[in-house]
Amino acid sequence: MAAVLERSFIEICGFERETLLRFREVTVNLGLNALPGGVKFPDSAGAFHYEESGKLLSVTSNRFIHWSTSGDTVQLVEQSLDTNLLNNAVKVRFTHCTVLPGGVNIQETLNNVIILISTNQSVHRLVLPHPTRMYRSELVTELHMQSIFTDVGKLSLQDPSHSAIIPSTVGQTGSPGTSAAWLNHKGEAHYALASPAGGIMVITLPPHDTQGSVSVVELKRSSMMQRLSGWMPSAIRGEQSPADLALSLVVRELEEDSFIFALCQDHKLRMWSFREQACLLEADMLEYMPACKGVKRLAGQGHRLRLTFCATTGLCVAVYLAVPQRGQFIVLQLVGTDNNRYSLEHISSLFSTQETLVDFTLTSTDIWGLWVDDSNSTVVKYINFEHNTAGQWNQVFVQPPPEDEVHIGMDQDPRETYLEVLFSPLRFTASAIVKALQIYRRGSERITDLSWESLKKEVTVAVESELQSSVTEFEFSQEEYRQLQVEFWSKFYACCLQYQEALAMPLGLTVSTHTSMVCLLKKGFVSFLLPCFAVDHLYLSCDEYVVSEDETPVTEDPEVGRDVLQLVQCLRLVSDAVSGEMAYEMEKALEHVESPERTAELILENMLSNDNDNVIEDIQNKLQDIRNPMAAMMVLLREMDLETDSEVGGEGLIVPGQTLNMRISLSQLYGSSSAVSLVCQAVCHMAMTRALFCRDLLILQKLYLRFGDNVFLGGGAQLLQLQQDLIPRSSHLLSSYYLLRHISQTLTSAVPMDTIDANLQHLTVLELSDSPALNANASVLSPQTIVELFYHTVARKVIISQIFSQQQSPSAGSALLLWPHMVSSVVNLLAQLLWPSNPGFQFPECLMVNCQYTQLQEYVRLIGPWCQVNIGSSRFMLGQCYLANGEGHKAVQCFQEAATEVEKEEFLMKLTGTEEDEAASTPRLQYYNKVLRLLEDVGLPELVIQLASLAITEAVSDVNSQAALWTRIFKHHLDLGHNSEAYEALTQNPDSSMQLDCLRQLVVVLCERSQLQDLVQFSYVNLHDEVVSIIESRARGLDLLAHNYYELLYAFHINRHNYRKAGTVMFEFGMRLGREVRTHLGLQKQVNCYLAALNCLRLIRPEYAWIVQPTSGAVYERPGVSPKRNSDGDFASEPVKRQVDILELKDLEKEYMLARSRLTLAQHHPPSAAIAGSASAVEMVALLVQTGLFDCALCLCQSFKLTLTSVFEGLAFKCIKLQYGGEESQNEAWSWLAANQLSSVVNTKESSATDEAWRLLASYLDRYPSANGQHHRCVISKLLSHGVPLPDWLVKSYKGVDAAALLRLYLNYDLLDAAAELVMEYVDALLGRGHQYFGIERPLSATSALVWLPYTSIDQLLQALNETQTNTSIYNKVRDKLDDYHKLVDQTSRRRLLTR
């Protein structure tokens, strides 16, 4: 509901929070000397409001300049409520001069802001750029803007065009007493100075952009005129000062003339025309004062003069006559007649009982007055000078100074309590604390620019150090120490109080004619007057006002209104009767979230028992005058309840039909740090006032219950309503306003960058906001309260949008920003946004976004027991706090509690509404998904499992959600190393594709962790084939040496006694190793694989001991070739399906032998490992022979049934090389000789490598006999082909096997001598001499078997021998030997024939 406003105002102090306001100092020295007996003028202050300060689309909206003067110094500060102004404070010092009262005047032209300053010896002009000319674009989007004072240091203020010295008149002593200054329409600067000799001196400076000289005009009546003016009071005559000495000057430019109004010492108001330099009007003010006889004789001292001009009333002048005990304001209107004659028409006379007027302001309707009373307290009032009831002034509730004493409860720490009071955002300015600290530390060092937190530490250190240094005893009790603490802290507190009082000294009052904003200008700061809400007005008004009023805007019914006023009087009596201790009890109860009702009863008991002044009786008497207390209470409670039906604010600032300019201006409206501080302090003051109001109302209601029928006319029904409805409502309101007060005074915490980053991740997961508004915080004064943070980052946009969305008229942009209306709307809407019982949840959300977890936790704690709105959202926020503080288990508990409210609360619905996951069917499941993602993001897998298990119970009918949750549980169990639980979750998953994905992940992860025992031993019910398929695909798709999937598959099959599968796996592994890993390690693994495969098949019955040969797959000659395209880039054709090959045990053994030989080769000759991998058996034999591994080569030949010829040839060649090689080849030979097994013959003689090689050859020839001595023949052929003489043992050995073949070899290689000798020996053997050497069992005889000779070869020999001359003798020998043989053959044949 819209809040009802009263006519009264309340002061809100816009304290600065920086320790020092950075004034830039400018000194103006015109070479003057100080005047003798210098007059001191009191400090003064004033303000200038830009003409367009009330226009929303202006760069000067809500912008003003205020100044204060003190001695020779003028302090100027430019302030804006919309943007923060940089370089906005300047201090100008005029050497040996004193600034005059009224000596500062600011006016604006189209291009400039011109400041005119008058001192007692000089006048000055500062020409500064106008804000509209400082920015290139009309659209100012920055949060910070340069002030017009930015370049003030560049001005040459001593320049004659900007300064002039006041000429001294002959015989004149003293200095001007007051002044006024103005710019005329030509741009000339005029300074009107009250001459000490009477009259007015006007000094004129030419326009700042033209050359010219300074002119001086003196406005003074002639002595004749003075005499003619009649009788003059003797009191004035007898004094030195003249009667027409001006006490106050004001100027107004009208119709190209300037009228100077002077209120003089003789109580007369004179109006001068500057153009005509004549006095046009003179009026005696005492004519308007009743019973003024005694006053006439006194010279006027404190008279003041103000004027205002508006289109309706024209020019009005207000005169204040400072008369002891009876100060009076007279409002006069200037009326023009023909012939340039003027008269004053009396409008109103208003009386004031206050003593000392500090300042007053006249507006078109009101007079605002600022006084200081006898106790030095500030008093502000205002009155409509035309329409008022019996001259009654309207109240302004000024801020009282901080309490003289701080109440410290027994359970409170003195230091903490004092620090809390001192550094609360409401009581002390930073300047007061800094000055007190400097005095307290006896000025040992100057305090430079400290942060708020640093200042707090400095104060603590200073007071504690003082305390420590005063202690003389080493030991004292806790109570004594507490007393000492209180003593020293109260001493420092008293020091702060003094400085705060000095800084709060009022100097002036300003009212903006454009926005109606009223400000009090104090020595140390500026405070603003805000309209007072009706409820607050009732509670704050002094008794005489409450008694004198007979109606109140909170109700239209006059009867109820009277009852309300009576009730408020009772509340004031209650308030006065509540002692400090009892007030503290209520504070404590609210802080500890205990029942306010019970505490109210305790306070009432205390009041009844200590009622010495019969307060209760007075209250009872007043209560009996109230006709309908229920209605009166209902009205007050309704007025204080900020609960709204709809959510405050919209989605943002965009309202249909708004221009870009409009939107940008709205985005800045009331956004400066001053406005932020101001609005939030207003909310705090409202909360403080209403919390006390509710407290007293609750006590009064308890009192009603106690009195019962004595004061109730309605009887029991009303008592029941009071007990069941009104008391709980009052209690609820009290708790709510206490909460508002608490958060308004709670400061934000600095947030480390890592927390911001973590929070940003959380928000991204929750899809709440993509960036916290921490960047913007830099613009707001530090430290902020959390309400200021909220207003600045979130609430202001919502509020401004709400206010302006209601103004759909086209003139919304040009609408005047009327301060009283606007600020009260902003404060009320902000309070509604903060109100815990409203559906909006932006405030806790803002705290979460900005990482203010401690404050958010406290907020949730305070609303917990009594707030029934957003319960689930609050639990969720608490969970977020716990999560940020690392208390995950508590967080999950909170998240679970919040789940029940998901479908009921706006914030939680927004949280789940952004969920894009279609798998979640219900809002609650969507909520769980969000929270689970959040927990995953934080890294709390155990809690994810816990919450997901709970969520599964919610998803009974939703298979998709169940599958997603089981997958999540599986994943986190697996990550945690809970393999069995992960497998269990996998088996529970209802979605087969997800189940398969999980299974694949399980296999991969356990393999990577080498937890193969678990992987193999799981039962895999209904998933056996899938597991095998997964492991097979992994095995075939990954690097063989980096992963051990083949071994895993082998173990898997062995574990299930499937030996044939196990064998197939290992055989495939071996095949791939040979093809892909051509290294020593690969060959070693291949041998082991084939061995394992052999073992597997040997464990099966022989008829089943076979495997299907695995397909080799695509083998590429070049690495990096695309498996899908050929070398031309075209798609490769489909592979042709091959027939299935069955491998039996013997085939595996062959492969094993081949693999073994490859390994042996690689061991002896590592470089050959690369080529051996794919070599066939024949190629391997050649490689082995080449390397000298003859044993191995022979084994391989026998396994694959290959001829041994190549082995023998190779060995023969090696023997030849050794025979004719050097020592180096001998040394090399030993390595390969050692790899072959030599027959163990004991040899006492030392033998060479050559000997050993020949011996090896001989042993092989013995060991591997061949048909027809084939091996011998190939060896001999090899030797002969290299021209090597045959070893005797070889010849001898071959002779016994095949002498004819040997003969042919001799002939082939042209060894005729050896051939001839062989023939002769062979013939001899046939004849019986040495027949055993040729393998002939029985020589030629009639009884023996037939014998034969290789005649063809012998004929060839004889032919060859016959053809050469040199071999004749050998030829003859052979012929003779053959002849002998033939004879014997002949004889033997004959004998054989005879015996038949």
Side-chain angles (χ1 to χ4, degrees):
M1 59 172 289
V4 182
L5 293 174
E6 256 289 3
R7 292 188 305 275
S8 60
F9 280 76
I10 184 165
E11 178 194 5
I12 303 295
C13 301
F15 286 172
E16 94 286 358
R17 303 256 179 83
E18 285 143 342
T19 46
L20 294 169
L21 188 61
R22 294 174 185 82
F23 279 100
R24 285 175 306 146
E25 298 200 5
V26 177
T27 302
V28 181
N29 189 348
L30 298 180
L32 298 165
N33 295 318
L35 290 177
V39 181
K40 284 199 171 183
F41 299 110
D43 294 353
S44 63
F48 159 76
H49 299 265
Y50 289 97
E51 195 172 327
E52 293 195 335
S53 60
K55 289 187 181 173
L56 175 64
L57 296 179
S58 167
V59 78
T60 55
S61 63
N62 289 312
R63 190 160 164 175
F64 63 100
I65 300 170
H66 61 88
W67 67 82
S68 64
T69 67
S70 178
D72 63 352
T73 305
V74 179
Q75 286 188 168
L76 294 144
V77 178
E78 187 181 20
Q79 206 162 345
S80 165
L81 295 176
D82 294 354
T83 53
N84 293 320
L85 300 176
L86 303 172
N87 304 308
N88 64 328
V90 66
K91 190 181 284 186
V92 186
R93 178 173 278 109
F94 302 95
T95 312
H96 298 143
C97 298
T98 307
V99 182
L100 297 174
V104 181
N105 184 277
I106 303 180
Q107 282 179 255
E108 62 182 316
T109 64
L110 205 57
N111 296 317
N112 298 102
V113 173
I114 296 176
I115 303 174
L116 306 175
I117 301 173
S118 314
T119 73
N120 62 345
Q121 296 194 73
S122 57
V123 293
H124 304 269
R125 171 173 59 195
L126 278 70
V127 181
L128 300 165
H130 195 278
T132 53
R133 296 286 177 269
M134 287 183 68
Y135 311 105
R136 289 179 188 171
S137 162
E138 285 184 13
L139 304 179
V140 181
T141 54
E142 295 87 1
L143 204 56
H144 298 277
M145 289 166 65
Q146 291 294 344
S147 161
I148 61 167
F149 295 125
T150 297
D151 296 327
V152 75
K154 297 177 184 174
L155 300 178
S156 50
L157 300 179
Q158 278 93 343
D159 197 79
S161 61
H162 292 299
S163 298
I165 297 170
I166 299 171
S168 56
T169 319
V170 179
Q172 178 187 325
T173 57
S175 66
T178 186
S179 66
W182 73 100
L183 276 180
N184 68 8
H185 60 283
K186 296 176 187 172
E188 296 172 323
H190 302 291
Y191 301 83
L193 307 168
S195 172
I200 301 165
M201 180 192 293
V202 181
I203 299 173
T204 303
L205 296 180
H208 67 89
D209 48 3
T210 58
Q211 293 293 320
S213 57
V214 177
S215 63
V216 180
V217 172
E218 197 159 356
L219 306 177
K220 190 169 173 66
R221 300 162 72 221
S222 65
S223 55
M224 176 61 72
M225 284 291 290
Q226 286 186 26
R227 281 202 295 277
L228 289 173
S229 67
W231 176 84
M232 194 177 294
S234 59
I236 296 174
R237 263 202 321 270
E239 290 179 356
Q240 294 297 314
S241 53
D244 62 347
L245 174 68
L247 299 174
S248 186
L249 294 172
V250 289
V251 181
R252 179 73 197 186
E253 206 174 7
L254 283 174
E255 299 164 7
E256 297 190 2
D257 191 4
S258 299
F259 294 113
I260 305 170
F261 293 87
L263 183 57
C264 301
Q265 202 166 235
D266 58 0
H267 317 297
K268 290 183 179 173
L269 177 65
R270 295 180 174 87
M271 185 177 89
W272 294 82
S273 164
F274 179 62
R275 188 175 60 188
E276 297 175 15
Q277 299 183 15
C279 179
L280 303 182
L281 181 69
E282 183 176 293
D284 189 352
M285 292 296 103
L286 294 182
E287 289 175 11
Y288 304 106
M289 181 176 246
C292 61
K293 286 183 181 176
V295 179
K296 248 181 188 177
R297 298 177 177 280
L298 300 172
Q301 288 299 324
H303 296 345
R304 305 287 178 95
L305 183 61
R306 298 285 183 270
L307 65 75
T308 186
F309 181 85
C310 72
T312 52
T313 59
L315 197 149
C316 290
V317 181
V319 173
Y320 175 72
L321 297 177
V323 179
Q325 307 300 324
R326 41 195 286 209
Q328 180 181 346
F329 293 93
I330 303 157
V331 184
L332 305 163
Q333 185 175 0
L334 184 69
V335 180
T337 58
D338 297 337
N339 304 327
N340 228 7
R341 291 181 178 279
Y342 294 91
S343 64
L344 291 170
E345 186 178 307
H346 179 260
I347 293 178
S348 176
S349 287
L350 303 160
F351 300 94
S352 165
T353 57
Q354 302 295 335
E355 281 301 314
T356 312
L357 182 78
V358 176
D359 191 15
F360 82 98
T361 300
L362 177 68
T363 70
S364 57
T365 56
D366 301 314
I367 289 177
W368 287 81
L370 168 64
W371 293 266
V372 174
D373 66 11
D374 298 336
S375 61
N376 218 21
S377 299
T378 304
V379 177
V380 183
K381 295 178 185 177
Y382 80 100
I383 191 166
N384 185 307
F385 54 74
E386 284 190 283
H387 311 291
N388 56 66
T389 52
Q392 185 174 2
W393 291 72
N394 293 304
Q395 299 174 96
V396 173
F397 306 114
V398 295
Q399 283 303 318
E403 305 83 7
D404 291 342
E405 290 182 4
V406 177
H407 176 78
I408 303 168
M410 288 308 293
D411 55 345
Q412 288 180 304
D413 175 44
R415 178 173 68 185
E416 291 298 322
T417 310
Y418 272 104
L419 281 173
E420 194 178 324
V421 173
L422 285 167
F423 289 90
S424 142
L426 298 171
R427 295 181 175 87
F428 290 91
T429 61
S431 315
I433 298 172
V434 167
K435 286 179 177 174
L437 181 58
Q438 279 179 327
I439 293 297
Y440 199 79
R441 297 203 303 202
R442 298 176 182 84
S444 55
E445 60 186 78
R446 186 164 180 76
I447 294 170
T448 51
D449 194 9
L450 287 176
S451 70
W452 197 250
E453 280 303 311
S454 307
L455 183 59
K456 204 170 185 177
K457 284 177 190 164
E458 289 289 329
V459 167
T460 309
V461 168
V463 178
E464 293 293 322
S465 305
E466 190 78 8
L467 189 153
Q468 299 291 341
S469 60
S470 70
V471 172
T472 52
E473 297 177 24
F474 291 109
E475 287 186 16
F476 41 83
S477 68
Q478 199 168 345
E479 189 52 45
E480 288 171 324
Y481 181 66
R482 182 186 168 86
Q483 285 302 320
L484 273 174
Q485 275 190 307
V486 170
E487 180 188 326
F488 280 90
W489 276 103
S490 60
K491 183 177 161 190
F492 180 77
Y493 182 76
C495 210
C496 292
L497 275 177
Q498 285 178 340
Y499 280 106
Q500 185 62 31
E501 191 178 340
L503 289 171
M505 177 63 67
L507 301 180
L509 179 75
T510 173
V511 182
S512 166
T513 54
H514 314 293
T515 63
S516 304
M517 179 171 72
V518 189
C519 297
L520 287 187
L521 308 169
K522 305 198 173 186
K523 186 148 182 79
F525 53 92
V526 177
S527 60
F528 297 77
L529 302 188
L530 276 60
C532 194
F533 295 108
V535 179
D536 304 1
H537 166 86
L538 287 172
Y539 192 75
L540 294 170
S541 293
C542 52
D543 290 336
E544 61 196 72
Y545 277 87
V546 179
V547 172
S548 63
E549 287 182 17
D550 56 356
E551 60 178 4
T552 173
V554 295
T555 175
E556 292 174 3
D557 186 337
E559 290 288 326
V560 177
R562 274 194 292 276
D563 284 350
V564 167
L565 290 167
Q566 288 284 342
L567 190 67
V568 169
Q569 289 179 47
C570 296
L571 287 173
R572 301 174 73 78
L573 290 171
V574 171
S575 177
D576 295 339
V578 175
S579 65
E581 288 80 6
M582 287 297 103
Y584 174 67
E585 283 301 317
M586 181 60 89
E587 289 283 314
K588 203 162 67 170
L590 290 166
E591 186 187 345
H592 297 152
V593 209
E594 294 165 2
S595 166
E597 297 173 35
R598 198 172 300 118
T599 314
E601 285 173 14
L602 285 174
I603 295 173
L604 184 58
E605 292 294 336
N606 181 274
M607 284 167 62
L608 290 167
S609 58
N610 298 319
D611 185 20
N612 302 325
D613 302 328
N614 296 323
V615 175
I616 303 296
E617 195 177 324
D618 294 347
I619 294 172
Q620 189 169 357
N621 293 335
K622 279 191 181 294
L623 288 179
Q624 287 172 336
D625 296 338
I626 302 173
R627 297 178 183 81
N628 189 347
M630 290 297 107
M633 286 181 198
M634 293 279 274
V635 164
L636 290 173
L637 291 172
R638 188 189 67 236
E639 193 59 34
M640 283 193 288
D641 196 345
L642 296 176
E643 195 168 327
T644 55
D645 299 330
S646 60
E647 192 171 341
V648 178
E651 282 303 306
L653 284 170
I654 296 178
V655 175
Q658 285 184 350
T659 63
L660 178 65
N661 281 28
M662 177 78 166
R663 292 212 297 274
I664 288 175
S665 298
L666 287 179
S667 74
Q668 295 178 310
L669 188 60
Y670 302 132
S672 76
S673 48
S674 314
V676 170
S677 170
L678 187 65
V679 169
C680 298
Q681 286 191 35
V683 169
C684 185
H685 280 290
M686 178 175 84
M688 290 165 77
T689 305
R690 295 189 183 181
L692 294 174
F693 197 127
C694 295
R695 180 199 71 187
D696 298 341
L697 183 58
L698 192 57
I699 295 168
L700 192 66
Q701 288 167 338
K702 291 290 180 183
L703 194 61
Y704 259 118
L705 283 182
R706 184 172 286 265
F707 289 152
D709 295 341
N710 295 340
V711 292
F712 264 114
L713 302 174
Q718 284 196 331
L719 280 175
L720 191 65
Q721 184 192 1
L722 178 67
Q723 191 160 10
Q724 293 186 345
D725 178 28
L726 298 184
I727 287 180
R729 277 177 68 187
S730 302
S731 173
H732 189 278
L733 285 177
L734 173 55
S735 297
S736 299
Y737 278 115
Y738 172 79
L739 176 75
L740 253 62
R741 193 191 83 187
H742 172 81
I743 58 176
S744 301
Q745 296 181 352
T746 302
L747 297 177
T748 55
S749 315
V751 186
M753 275 313 295
D754 55 347
T755 309
I756 294 173
D757 293 342
N759 188 50
L760 199 56
Q761 276 184 302
H762 298 183
L763 295 174
T764 309
V765 170
L766 295 174
E767 297 172 51
L768 282 178
S769 162
D770 52 358
S771 65
L774 283 159
N775 306 342
N777 291 357
S779 69
V780 177
L781 289 176
S782 172
Q784 291 172 278
T785 64
I786 52 177
V787 171
E788 286 170 353
L789 173 71
F790 172 61
Y791 173 76
H792 176 68
T793 56
V794 177
R796 185 180 61 82
K797 292 175 188 170
V798 173
I799 290 166
I800 299 299
S801 169
Q802 171 111 345
I803 292 172
F804 281 87
S805 64
Q806 294 156 4
Q807 299 182 4
Q808 289 296 337
S809 62
S811 62
S814 57
L816 286 177
L817 300 170
L818 288 173
W819 172 252
H821 164 70
M822 287 295 291
V823 78
S824 53
S825 299
V826 170
V827 168
N828 193 53
L829 286 170
L830 176 57
Q832 285 182 4
L833 279 173
L834 294 168
W835 195 248
S837 302
N838 280 337
F841 200 64
Q842 293 103 318
F843 177 64
E845 190 180 339
C846 168
L847 292 185
M848 182 188 78
V849 166
N850 290 286
C851 312
Q852 302 298 314
Y853 299 118
T854 312
Q855 294 84 340
L856 179 54
Q857 219 166 328
E858 180 66 4
Y859 175 85
V860 174
R861 181 187 75 82
L862 286 174
I863 65 171
W866 50 269
C867 182
Q868 298 306 308
V869 181
N870 289 319
I871 299 170
S873 305
S874 298
R875 299 313 294 167
F876 180 83
M877 285 298 173
L878 189 58
Q880 276 288 90
C881 295
Y882 284 138
L883 209 54
N885 295 333
E887 298 180 274
H889 288 283
K890 289 182 182 177
V892 168
Q893 183 65 36
C894 291
F895 292 145
Q896 286 178 22
E897 291 166 8
T900 54
E901 307 296 319
V902 165
E903 294 165 45
K904 304 172 195 169
E905 296 179 13
E906 188 76 28
F907 172 75
L908 294 176
M909 282 157 75
K910 180 176 82 169
L911 201 64
T912 55
T914 55
E915 182 67 60
E916 293 172 6
D917 187 6
E918 293 299 322
S921 56
T922 66
R924 200 175 289 191
L925 284 174
Q926 289 174 349
Y927 167 78
Y928 277 128
N929 277 347
K930 266 288 172 61
V931 175
L932 287 168
R933 285 222 291 277
L934 184 62
L935 292 171
E936 284 172 342
D937 191 58
V938 179
L940 297 170
E942 297 99 331
L943 302 178
V944 174
I945 293 164
Q946 181 186 330
L947 197 63
S949 306
L950 180 75
I952 284 171
T953 60
E954 297 276 342
V956 178
S957 57
D958 186 349
V959 176
N960 289 346
S961 294
Q962 275 198 335
L965 289 165
W966 278 119
T967 303
R968 209 171 221 135
I969 292 172
F970 160 80
K971 174 186 176 299
H972 290 290
H973 271 312
L974 188 60
D975 290 347
L976 289 168
H978 304 161
N979 301 342
S980 303
E981 290 85 348
Y983 172 73
E984 197 62 41
L986 176 154
T987 57
Q988 296 284 340
N989 202 319
D991 185 307
S992 56
S993 67
M994 282 190 176
Q995 194 176 43
L996 204 58
D997 289 342
C998 293
L999 187 61
R1000 190 172 291 110
Q1001 201 174 349
L1002 181 74
V1003 171
V1004 173
V1005 170
L1006 292 189
C1007 282
E1008 284 172 357
R1009 291 187 194 150
S1010 303
Q1011 294 176 333
L1012 305 179
Q1013 186 71 26
D1014 288 356
L1015 187 57
V1016 168
Q1017 286 184 342
F1018 290 138
S1019 57
Y1020 301 111
V1021 179
N1022 301 327
L1023 292 170
H1024 183 277
D1025 292 345
E1026 284 82 354
V1027 177
V1028 172
S1029 168
I1030 289 166
I1031 302 176
E1032 275 181 355
S1033 65
R1034 298 289 296 178
R1036 289 168 183 163
L1038 294 172
D1039 181 17
L1040 292 174
L1041 293 183
H1043 302 84
N1044 57 352
Y1045 285 104
Y1046 278 109
E1047 282 104 323
L1048 171 64
L1049 200 51
Y1050 171 73
F1052 186 85
H1053 288 313
I1054 289 290
N1055 198 50
R1056 285 156 179 73
H1057 306 297
N1058 193 341
Y1059 297 118
R1060 185 194 289 166
K1061 280 272 190 187
T1064 307
V1065 167
M1066 291 319 278
F1067 186 72
E1068 182 183 332
F1069 189 21
M1071 277 177 64
R1072 280 192 61 201
L1073 282 167
R1075 196 166 58 237
E1076 298 169 30
V1077 189
R1078 297 179 180 178
T1079 62
H1080 181 270
L1081 179 63
L1083 293 172
Q1084 178 70 60
K1085 272 183 167 292
Q1086 188 184 30
V1087 168
N1088 293 342
C1089 289
Y1090 287 156
L1091 263 178
L1094 282 170
N1095 280 345
C1096 289
L1097 290 192
R1098 285 184 178 134
L1099 291 169
I1100 310 172
R1101 282 189 295 174
E1103 61 267 31
Y1104 298 114
W1106 54 267
I1107 60 171
V1108 176
Q1109 178 161 5
T1111 53
S1112 61
V1115 182
Y1116 305 112
E1117 298 303 320
R1118 302 193 318 279
V1121 174
S1122 166
K1124 288 186 282 189
R1125 298 174 186 270
N1126 59 21
S1127 57
D1128 297 327
D1130 301 325
F1131 281 99
S1133 57
E1134 286 287 317
V1136 181
K1137 291 185 178 177
R1138 303 193 183 101
Q1139 68 181 58
V1140 176
D1141 291 333
I1142 301 296
L1143 297 177
E1144 295 181 342
L1145 201 55
K1146 61 178 184 294
D1147 300 320
L1148 257 66
E1149 286 171 347
K1150 277 187 183 179
E1151 286 295 329
Y1152 168 67
M1153 284 302 297
L1154 187 57
R1156 275 301 302 271
S1157 61
R1158 287 170 182 154
L1159 178 61
T1160 308
L1161 177 65
Q1163 285 170 341
H1164 285 84
H1165 187 249
S1168 58
I1171 50 171
S1174 59
S1176 65
V1178 175
E1179 291 164 338
M1180 271 308 300
V1181 170
L1183 288 169
L1184 290 167
V1185 167
Q1186 191 180 331
T1187 315
L1189 301 173
F1190 298 103
D1191 277 359
C1192 193
L1194 290 165
C1195 287
L1196 196 59
C1197 288
Q1198 286 182 317
S1199 296
F1200 282 86
K1201 298 190 168 51
L1202 301 175
T1203 173
L1204 306 184
T1205 309
S1206 58
V1207 182
F1208 282 100
E1209 282 183 349
L1211 183 53
F1213 183 64
K1214 280 199 179 293
C1215 290
I1216 294 164
K1217 280 173 73 180
L1218 281 174
Q1219 185 95 32
Y1220 297 103
E1223 192 176 338
E1224 190 178 341
S1225 59
Q1226 293 278 329
N1227 294 336
E1228 285 176 7
W1230 283 113
S1231 61
W1232 62 260
L1233 281 168
N1236 299 293
Q1237 275 192 341
L1238 283 165
S1239 55
S1240 54
V1241 178
V1242 179
N1243 195 353
T1244 53
K1245 190 181 80 168
E1246 194 175 307
S1247 61
S1248 66
T1250 313
D1251 298 338
E1252 290 298 313
W1254 286 114
R1255 203 153 71 80
L1256 182 65
L1257 180 58
S1259 69
Y1260 283 161
L1261 288 169
D1262 288 344
R1263 207 182 311 160
Y1264 302 103
S1266 57
N1268 304 325
Q1270 187 184 353
H1271 299 157
H1272 288 73
R1273 185 166 63 249
C1274 73
V1275 171
I1276 291 169
S1277 178
K1278 192 74 172 172
L1279 294 175
L1280 293 178
S1281 67
H1282 285 83
V1284 178
L1286 299 179
D1288 290 344
W1289 60 266
L1290 181 60
V1291 175
K1292 186 179 174 186
S1293 171
Y1294 194 30
K1295 271 197 302 192
V1297 177
D1298 191 352
L1302 181 61
L1303 176 59
R1304 284 193 290 277
L1305 282 171
Y1306 279 158
L1307 288 174
N1308 287 346
Y1309 291 100
D1310 216 16
L1311 298 173
L1312 301 180
D1313 291 354
E1317 193 176 338
L1318 178 62
V1319 168
M1320 288 190 286
E1321 283 181 7
Y1322 192 39
V1323 170
D1324 283 343
L1326 288 175
L1327 296 175
R1329 289 191 292 276
H1331 61 86
Q1332 66 274 15
Y1333 297 117
F1334 285 86
I1336 300 169
E1337 291 180 15
R1338 293 171 66 191
L1340 180 65
S1341 69
T1343 56
S1344 65
L1346 298 176
V1347 292
W1348 57 274
L1349 273 178
Y1351 285 109
T1352 308
S1353 302
I1354 292 172
D1355 287 346
Q1356 289 170 349
L1357 174 65
L1358 288 173
Q1359 176 69 28
L1361 288 172
N1362 192 26
E1363 287 174 357
T1364 56
Q1365 299 294 320
T1366 52
N1367 293 324
T1368 310
S1369 60
I1370 300 173
Y1371 173 78
N1372 292 331
K1373 281 182 186 177
V1374 174
R1375 287 281 352 151
D1376 292 345
K1377 183 62 74 178
L1378 283 170
D1379 290 343
D1380 291 345
Y1381 172 69
H1382 287 138
K1383 287 176 187 173
L1384 187 58
V1385 170
D1386 187 62
Q1387 289 173 10
T1388 309
S1389 300
R1390 290 177 189 282
R1391 284 181 191 152
R1392 172 70 66 87
L1393 289 169
L1394 289 173
T1395 55
R1396 279 190 179 175

